[in-house]
Amino acid sequence: MLWQLDGKPVGFSSCDKIVFGNRANMHLHVTEPELRQQGIGAECVRRSVDIYFRTFELKQLFCEPNAFNVGPNRTLQKAGFRYLKTYKTVPGYLNYHQAVTRWVIER
Ligand SMILES: CC(C)(COP(=O)(O)OP(=O)(O)OC[C@H]1O[C@@H](n2cnc3c(N)ncnc32)[C@H](O)[C@@H]1OP(=O)(O)O)[C@@H](O)C(=O)NCCC(=O)NCCS
C-alpha cells in the first residue's frame, strides 16, 4: 500500500503471513526521512489497518518491529496496537536473528 501526502508518495505498508479470514502481519515505512515524526506514520498505519481488516476479513493483525527501533514501537502504540511480548526470532528470510516486540490489533 502506497502512502501519499498531497498526491506524492511518502511511505508504504505491506502485509504478509496472511491467513484469509483470520490473521496477518503488517509493515510500516515513511520513506522520506525529513517527513518523519510529524504524525504521518501513525495516521497512515491507522488507515492501513482498516484496509487490511476489510480486505482480508481479519480477526487479528500483528506487527513485529525490532525491539530497539523506537519509531515503529511508539507509532504502533499510538495507532492503537496492544503490546504482547518481546522475544528473539528471525522475522523473515531477509532478516537476522534479533529481538522483536509483538504488537496486535484485534477486531
Ligand atoms: C516508523 C515510522 C513509520 C514512523 O512514522 P512517523 O511518521 O515518523 O511516525 P509519527 O510521526 O506518526 O510518530 C508516531 C509516534 O512515534 C514517535 N516516534 C516516531 N519516530 C520516533 C523516533 N525515531 N524516536 C522517538 N519517537 C519516535 C513520535 O514521537 C510519535 O509519538 P508521540 O506522538 O507520542 O510523541 C518511520 O519513522 C519510519 O519509516 N522509520 C524508518 C523505517 C522503520 O524503522 N520502519 C519500521 C520497520 S519495522
Side-chain angles (χ1 to χ4, degrees):
M1 202 175 319
L2 187 69
W3 293 347
Q4 291 184 323
L5 180 69
D6 300 329
K8 293 188 182 133
V10 294
F12 68 93
S13 174
S14 61
C15 211
D16 63 0
K17 300 179 184 171
I18 299 164
V19 181
F20 189 86
N22 189 354
R23 58 197 285 161
N25 281 47
M26 74 166 283
H27 307 272
L28 60 155
H29 300 273
V30 170
T31 46
E32 309 300 317
E34 68 278 7
L35 293 178
R36 290 175 189 162
Q37 291 188 260
Q38 296 174 35
I40 293 172
E43 181 57 28
C44 288
V45 166
R46 281 189 207 102
R47 295 184 190 197
S48 300
V49 164
D50 287 342
I51 293 169
Y52 289 139
F53 267 92
R54 212 168 49 238
T55 305
F56 302 120
E57 299 180 15
L58 300 177
K59 295 186 177 75
Q60 293 180 305
L61 179 62
F62 296 95
C63 189
E64 293 195 332
N66 184 290
F68 302 105
N69 190 354
V70 178
N73 283 287
R74 298 278 304 134
T75 302
L76 290 167
Q77 185 178 35
K78 195 165 185 192
F81 278 76
R82 180 167 58 87
Y83 172 82
L84 287 178
K85 64 176 180 177
T86 301
Y87 70 110
K88 283 196 165 179
T89 187
V90 180
Y93 62 89
L94 288 175
N95 303 113
Y96 56 92
H97 196 239
Q98 58 187 281
V100 302
T101 46
R102 188 166 174 78
W103 296 84
V104 69
I105 287 193
E106 294 174 298
R107 288 185 185 169

